[in-house]
């Protein structure tokens, strides 16, 4: 494809996306294809010769689009948001066009320095503790996901707890980790990957508030110490995927400090709320954390992938992950004056992801992003109010931000039937969880174009479905 | 940004990239900025209010572009290629526009099924063993990098070697892994991450061919068994980052089969060569491997990130990585009729990366991709011939494909001075390695627009620099 052809087809794809933005609301939110249906339409063998670009776009329309679950629909209320925006798409497009591989400072100085800079901006924007600034002993880095951030935090914790021996002699027997039973599944995944073992993850039961119980944490740590084990890692969550519960960082953090245990705070879902001063309760006590992450690719208009991961002491992280073979050696690295982000992540290669983050922050400004968050919270609060006011429905968790957990006052089976009916309608997509053993519906507001009308329509759909399943 | 504004600014960015494609040759290949220079031009605080898109593009030109090391320059001969193409950029752009999160089949049926399908196509295109097809017990998945593929392979190996106990009770003491001293640094990184410990990685010395010595491997395994350890993982490389050496998969694979050890084959750099039947020697013996990866984001015109990772038995991989919390449960997953790729990788979330791979394969066809590989090999062979014919220079490793290792017949210091002079010229960028203790220059041909003139110019630069450093 010549530059001239790229120009022409590039305009076609941009126009395709603009039209998709305009029309996304018309598609069934949850894809209606059966397993294997997309694949059955694809030719069994790859083409021997090149095909014209028009045939690709035609197949995107005819084969791919019907198999899409529309995360960008304003009626997508499932799981968590993965919102995106024009500036983000275009920042990422520039990244693809530049084709920079930023594993080392030398292989992409602007890729590295823009990332460091924008992550420092975000410390200011979210009022994060100054220890996370790159100008001190800490710093931030873009990871693909919060799962990877949690894994890196655990590896740094393991490094610190073993004085660097884990990397050489293997994960020692007896390391233990702690999280509530509401923590994200990536905590257990990280504990497995790092060789700690899921039996050494203390999954602490939560009460009705679904938050980490600091007394239970302290007792579990004490029991492990008595048994000769080495507590090394606590993951607190602000707020949980399931219900948005915010763990008490102050109480948890004081225990971790006293015990010398690495505290990682997972703010993947709701950290972005801290753009607004009135929602900064999510981060109360964060100054006691060793590491933290939040996901601009969830609720800050930056398209996937973009998780911002911070450490207060970059030394442990780099010691856990740095290996320097001869073929990567270079003057800049040896000078010690630069950051090589390959030492801050598990893979070696890295894309120029800071561009999309920079584009979003500059296009919307702090005030534009705050307005988006406030509007989403307002819509979720309105929905929570309707649930509270209807005697047939109940809320089953606090909803201080953009996620509402609720259920019809009837059986689990009927709630499941309601959910399936709403999702089958194609007009909205919600998902479920279990809280206190009960089947619970979740409505999470976070897509860029969600307005009051979409939330109202979802509420009507739910009530109609409840009527039909009576 | 409204869809209409997106249309307008999208066209501007497409035009920017088209112009960059036309002009990239004019820029100094290796960025000339000093550490901190990019950052110093960025405002210390984030903007409170949104800025016009034009100011973003202006800063890309004025601040970012001078800080770019131009991986897409036709005179980029450093490290390894990270080539890209128009169809790939546009496939990735569509992925950004759709904003699909494909962690589960249900959250993106087309995302999942296109990936499975195209990875099966690649089994045919590279003549990989049929065991890697998804239609049998195996299958392929896109990882971000070969580092992540190696880590996943090790985790699956650990799972199999411990009958699933590693996930529960932690990485047991005494697991051992094996690779040559030329294997990629990601092998040691994976061994550390997975809690095996770098002291339990047997780094086997190589001879002049720089390939894994199967007799040394067998002896090391035997010694570990005698000592009561549990050999569980061998990583063979086709070919190495340093010199392109291709390990003898047949001999290594037979040992692994006999010993019940997981064999992972890292073809990140040169696996793509197998698109051409005449270069399939790189995969001789691959039918004995348990897992394999190669990087379309290196040498197959697909922009970063896109590593294709295959397993012959997906069961071990999925058991190593699967965790299913309530909030991710859904009918499709419970039916067992679909693939949920979150269980094939360490993160949870995933981007629709199969689009760019599909776009590249369809735009170029098998024959178009073969032509690219053959041309790059032809250019590297021409360069190798010039080195061989010049009494002042010598080649220091076989160069069957697109990487040539060579040096001036003088001191290490002079070779380093030559390299620095060439890179400082801005007209080409090469990197070095060490082989047999000596400082060695590397020229790797692989960028999409590299032609004979660029390779010729690089050779002239090297000779001139050698003259000036005499």
């Amino acid at each position: 494809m010549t530059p001239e052809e790229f120009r022409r087809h590039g305009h076609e794809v941009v126009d395709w996306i603009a039209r998709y933005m305009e029309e996304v609301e018309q598609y069934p939110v949850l894809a209606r294809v059966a397993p294997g249906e997309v694949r059955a339409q694809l030719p069994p063998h790859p083409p021997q010769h090149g095909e014209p670009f028009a045939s690709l776009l035609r197949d995107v329309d005819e084969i791919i689009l019907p198999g899409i679950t529309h995360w960008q629909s304003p009626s997508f209320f499932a799981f968590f948001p993965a919102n995106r925006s024009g500036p983000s798409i275009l920042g990422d497009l520039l990244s693809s066009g530049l084709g920079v591989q930023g594993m080392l400072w030398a292989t992409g100085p602007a890729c590295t320095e823009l990332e460091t800079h924008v992550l420092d901006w975000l410390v200011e924007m979210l009022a994060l503790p100054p220890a996370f600034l790159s100008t001190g002993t800490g710093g931030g880095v873009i990871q693909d996901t919060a799962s990877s951030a949690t894994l890196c935090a655990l590896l740094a914790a393991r490094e610190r707890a073993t004085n660097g021996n884990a990397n050489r002699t293997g994960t020692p027997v007896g390391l233990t980790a702690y999280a509530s039973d509401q923590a994200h599944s990536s905590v257990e995944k990280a504990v497995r990957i790092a060789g700690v073992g899921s039996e050494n993850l203390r999954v602490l039961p939560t009460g009705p508030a679904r938050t980490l119980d600091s007394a239970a944490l302290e007792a579990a740590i004490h029991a492990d110490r008595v048994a000769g084990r080495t507590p090394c890692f606590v993951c607190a969550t602000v707020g949980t995927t399931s219900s948005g519960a915010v763990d008490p960082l102050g109480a948890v953090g004081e225990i971790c400090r006293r015990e010398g245990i690495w505290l990682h705070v997972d703010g993947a879902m709701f950290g972005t709320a801290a753009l607004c001063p009135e929602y900064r309760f999510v981060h109360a006590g964060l100054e006691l954390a060793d590491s933290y992450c939040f996901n601009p690719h969830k609720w800050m208009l930056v398209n996937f992938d973009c998780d911002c991961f911070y450490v207060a002491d970059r030394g442990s992280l780099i010691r856990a992950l740095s290996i320097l073979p001869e073929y990567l050696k270079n003057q800049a690295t040896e000078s010690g004056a630069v950051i090589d982000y390959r030492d801050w992540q598990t893979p070696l290669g890295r894309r120029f992801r800071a561009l999309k983050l920079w584009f979003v922050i500059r296009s919307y400004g702090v005030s534009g992003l705050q307005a988006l968050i406030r509007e989403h919270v307002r819509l979720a609060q309105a929905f929570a109010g309707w649930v509270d006011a209807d005697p047939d429905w109940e809320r089953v968790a606090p909803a201080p931000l953009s996620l509402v957990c609720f259920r019809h006052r009837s059986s689990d089976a009927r709630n499941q039937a309601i959910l399936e009916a709403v999702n089958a309608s194609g007009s909205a997509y919600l998902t479920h969880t279990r809280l206190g053993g009960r089947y619970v519906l979740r409505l999470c507001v976070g897509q860029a174009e969600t307005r009051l009308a979409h939330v109202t329509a979802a509420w009507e759909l739910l009530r109609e479905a409840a009527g039909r399943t009576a």
Side-chain angles (χ1 to χ4, degrees), chain A:
Chain A
M1 191 182 281
T2 65
E4 194 46 46
E5 289 165 338
F6 175 80
R7 205 174 264 121
R8 190 167 79 247
H9 298 313
H11 289 193
E12 290 162 11
V13 173
V14 165
D15 294 349
W16 190 99
I17 294 171
R19 200 169 54 243
Y20 178 70
M21 288 171 166
E22 287 160 348
E23 295 176 358
V24 62
E25 204 167 332
Q26 301 168 21
Y27 298 110
V29 189
L30 179 62
R32 286 175 161 164
V33 292
E37 197 174 323
V38 171
R39 216 184 151 174
Q41 298 173 73
L42 300 167
H45 302 289
Q48 188 60 28
H49 300 290
E51 301 175 56
F53 197 76
S55 68
L56 273 62
L57 278 187
R58 185 198 61 220
D59 286 351
V60 168
D61 279 323
E62 295 178 5
I63 301 173
I64 301 300
L65 209 50
I68 295 292
T69 291
H70 297 281
W71 284 73
Q72 304 310 323
S73 168
S75 298
F76 183 99
F77 301 109
F79 303 108
F80 41 79
N83 66 24
R84 57 107 172 92
S85 60
S88 170
I89 295 171
L90 297 180
D92 217 22
L93 172 57
L94 264 179
S95 169
S96 297
L98 287 167
V100 167
Q101 218 278 42
M103 58 187 182
L104 301 168
W105 179 89
T107 66
C111 175
T112 298
E113 295 194 12
L114 184 66
E115 184 161 330
T116 307
H117 197 75
V118 171
L119 269 81
D120 277 357
W121 274 5
L122 282 162
V123 170
E124 179 180 336
M125 290 168 68
L126 272 67
L128 299 177
F132 292 147
L133 287 169
S134 70
T135 45
T137 58
V141 61
I142 299 176
Q143 300 276 344
D144 57 358
T145 63
S147 298
S148 296
T150 300
L151 175 59
C152 286
L154 176 60
L155 295 171
R158 191 185 71 174
E159 184 73 7
R160 196 174 76 178
T162 64
N163 294 314
N165 283 325
N167 265 345
R168 289 198 299 281
T169 59
T171 304
V173 174
L175 287 187
T176 52
Y178 307 82
S180 88
D181 60 14
Q182 300 295 303
H184 191 263
S185 55
S186 58
V187 178
E188 185 182 343
K189 203 166 181 177
V191 162
R192 289 186 187 182
I193 292 168
V196 171
S198 53
E199 289 178 6
N200 300 309
L201 171 65
R202 309 293 173 233
V203 180
L204 304 169
T206 53
R210 320 283 168 216
T211 55
L212 207 162
D213 177 342
S214 59
L217 172 66
E218 197 155 23
I221 292 168
H222 180 72
D224 281 323
R225 291 236 193 261
V226 167
R229 300 189 191 97
T230 308
C232 84
F233 181 74
V234 172
C235 181
T237 312
V238 297
T240 62
T241 306
S242 196
S243 74
V246 178
D247 288 343
L249 299 186
V252 170
E254 279 168 23
I255 294 167
C256 291
R257 280 285 164 98
R258 198 164 59 235
E259 298 281 344
I261 300 175
W262 187 287
L263 173 59
H264 175 63
V265 175
D266 174 2
M269 180 95 164
F270 288 118
T272 306
L275 284 168
C276 306
E278 67 271 32
Y279 304 137
R280 286 187 186 151
F281 60 85
V282 297
H283 289 158
L286 187 59
E287 65 281 2
L288 297 168
D290 295 285
S291 57
Y292 168 76
C293 77
F294 82 106
N295 287 359
H297 71 221
K298 281 198 167 71
W299 199 17
M300 214 184 88
L301 298 179
V302 179
N303 61 302
F304 189 89
D305 46 7
C306 183
D307 163 271
C308 292
F309 174 55
Y310 291 93
V311 286
D313 167 24
R314 58 183 176 263
S316 296
L317 180 68
I318 292 170
R319 279 190 297 276
L321 292 168
S322 179
I323 297 177
L324 183 60
E326 182 69 28
Y327 51 79
L328 296 181
K329 288 182 182 169
N330 65 90
Q331 291 174 329
T333 296
E334 280 159 26
S335 77
V338 301
I339 289 176
D340 290 325
Y341 274 127
R342 75 190 174 85
D343 294 334
W344 296 53
Q345 62 177 21
T346 60
L348 170 60
R350 58 201 328 270
R351 186 176 166 88
F352 195 167
R353 288 178 294 208
L355 273 177
K356 60 186 175 189
L357 191 52
W358 189 49
F359 271 33
V360 165
I361 295 171
R362 292 190 59 186
S363 294
Y364 293 90
V366 173
S367 62
L369 294 171
Q370 287 172 332
L372 179 92
I373 297 298
R374 286 179 179 134
E375 174 64 4
H376 287 161
V377 174
R378 186 182 76 85
L379 296 179
Q381 297 307 310
F383 183 87
W386 304 331
V387 171
D388 287 343
D390 189 320
D392 291 341
W393 297 80
E394 62 179 330
R395 276 207 296 127
V396 292
L401 295 167
S402 57
L403 170 65
V404 183
C405 291
F406 64 103
R407 69 196 307 273
H408 191 257
R409 290 183 193 271
S410 57
S411 67
D412 282 0
R414 189 159 163 200
N415 275 279
Q416 187 170 352
I418 292 169
L419 181 68
E420 283 165 12
V422 168
N423 291 345
S425 77
S427 301
Y429 180 27
L430 287 76
T431 50
H432 81 286
T433 189
R434 278 187 185 273
L435 296 174
R438 294 189 306 173
Y439 191 95
V440 170
L441 309 186
R442 300 165 72 260
L443 180 129
C444 190
V445 181
Q447 291 318 116
E449 299 303 325
T450 301
R451 301 288 176 268
L452 183 61
H454 304 105
V455 183
T456 308
W459 176 232
E460 286 308 314
L461 274 170
L462 285 158
R463 293 174 65 195
E464 281 168 31
R468 283 202 310 280
T469 56

